[in-house]
């Protein structure tokens, strides 16, 4: 049983926009803005929760509440996936990157438990390029990275521009305390064929709402 439904282009309001951006050699756009993480970090410290796992889980919630972020272009069709999980680049003990898949979870406690296991497994596994090149790419996920050393104002993701890739790329940066709060840069890159800036804006609004109300979402 498939975990997605295929969008009928003939009845899809974005069909012509989709066709238009399919002709682009670079159909992605990127928006970066700061998120105030002060409330979330304070809550995680008080409750002794992993701040990293908390914002990954809240990102999972935001992604799954906004349908365009669940759309994927595969073999010239548009699919709407039922559930999206997060896959995040993490740092192994040898200071090289590993890709870590965090299983979808219905509660933060479940996510936190599975995340610890997934991280240890990924760190202990060697990075083998052939595992990620040339094979089928998992579509029911969002690609994430964390750059905790830099509070950036621009970001570019590495990608194969010759391949169709509609998976959103989400990157968090270093949280820096300013007069506005504990500001954390957030980069969101999406395929223009499946959404416009409106939904990226709604994503930022949703993330800020989640960060501002951690007690609502991090307690089972």
């Amino acid at each position: 049983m498939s975990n997605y439904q295929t969008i009928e282009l003939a009845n899809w309001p974005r069909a012509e926009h989709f066709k238009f951006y399919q002709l682009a050699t670079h159909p992605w756009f990127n928006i970066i803005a700061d998120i105030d993480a002060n409330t979330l970090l304070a809550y995680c410290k008080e409750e002794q929760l992993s701040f990293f796992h908390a914002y990954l889980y809240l990102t999972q919630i935001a992604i799954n509440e906004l349908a365009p972020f669940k759309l994927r272009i595969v073999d010239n069709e548009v699919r709407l996936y039922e559930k999206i999980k997060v896959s995040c680049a993490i740092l192994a003990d040898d200071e090289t990157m590993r890709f870590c898949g965090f299983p979808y979870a219905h509660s933060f406690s479940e996510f936190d438990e599975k995340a610890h296991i997934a991280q240890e497994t990924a760190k202990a596994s060697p990075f083998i390029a052939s595992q990620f090149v040339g094979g089928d790419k998992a579509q029911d996920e969002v690609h994430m990275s964390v750059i905790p050393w830099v509070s950036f104002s621009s970001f570019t993701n590495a990608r194969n521009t010759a391949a169709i890739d509609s998976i959103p790329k989400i990157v968090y940066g270093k949280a820096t305390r300013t007069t506005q709060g504990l500001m954390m840069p957030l980069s969101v890159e999406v395929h223009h064929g499946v959404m416009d800036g409106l939904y990226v804006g709604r994503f930022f609004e949703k993330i800020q709402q989640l960060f501002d109300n951690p007690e609502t979402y991090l307690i089972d």
Side-chain angles (χ1 to χ4, degrees):
M1 185 176 179
S2 65
N3 59 345
Y4 65 86
Q5 65 182 67
T6 302
I7 300 296
E8 294 185 13
L9 296 182
N11 300 318
W12 189 34
R14 270 198 78 79
E16 291 301 315
H17 299 76
F18 167 69
K19 295 175 185 177
F20 176 76
Y21 286 110
Q22 282 294 83
L23 299 175
T25 56
H26 191 286
W28 310 278
F29 70 95
N30 185 22
I31 296 178
I32 296 172
D34 286 334
I35 297 296
D36 188 347
N38 189 68
T39 300
L40 177 60
L41 180 61
Y43 181 82
C44 289
K45 286 183 176 180
E46 181 180 347
E47 299 295 327
Q48 297 184 328
L49 304 176
S50 166
F51 178 56
F52 175 53
H53 289 176
Y55 65 75
L56 288 186
Y57 176 69
L58 295 179
T59 302
Q60 177 200 272
I61 291 178
I63 288 292
N64 281 281
E65 288 192 6
L66 295 168
F69 280 85
K70 301 163 69 176
L71 292 172
R72 301 291 182 268
I73 303 169
V74 184
D75 298 329
N76 292 317
E77 68 179 17
V78 180
R79 300 175 180 177
L80 175 63
Y81 280 82
E82 181 180 354
K83 295 294 182 184
I84 300 295
K85 55 183 180 290
V86 300
S87 175
C88 189
I90 62 172
L91 200 64
D93 294 336
D94 62 358
E95 297 190 337
T96 61
M97 182 190 66
R98 300 290 187 276
F99 293 128
C100 181
F102 293 83
Y104 179 88
H106 294 281
S107 67
F108 177 68
S109 60
E110 179 189 359
F111 182 89
D112 186 52
E113 180 180 356
K114 290 180 177 179
H116 280 292
I117 297 172
Q119 283 178 258
E120 292 307 311
T121 301
K123 287 181 179 180
S125 302
F127 183 91
I128 302 174
S130 60
Q131 293 179 342
F132 307 102
V133 178
D136 291 335
K137 183 183 297 184
Q139 299 292 332
D140 59 341
E141 62 184 24
V142 59
H143 293 164
M144 296 183 60
S145 294
V146 179
I147 313 293
W149 313 279
V150 181
S151 180
F152 54 77
S153 58
S154 64
F155 196 89
T156 302
N157 290 284
R159 62 165 68 250
N160 176 9
T161 57
I164 296 176
D165 183 3
S166 56
I167 299 175
K169 317 294 183 188
I170 297 175
V171 184
Y172 286 93
K174 178 182 179 181
T176 304
R177 194 163 297 282
T178 71
T179 55
Q180 295 176 298
L182 184 67
M183 307 310 291
M184 193 174 185
L186 175 57
S187 168
V188 179
E189 184 175 302
V190 297
H191 194 292
H192 220 330
V194 297
M195 75 177 88
D196 299 320
L198 171 65
Y199 272 93
V200 178
R202 288 178 178 173
F203 175 80
F204 276 98
E205 291 175 355
K206 185 63 181 179
I207 283 289
Q208 189 63 71
Q209 176 199 341
L210 296 171
F211 272 43
D212 287 344
N213 298 278
E215 69 284 352
T216 302
Y217 303 96
L218 302 182
I219 294 180
D220 296 347

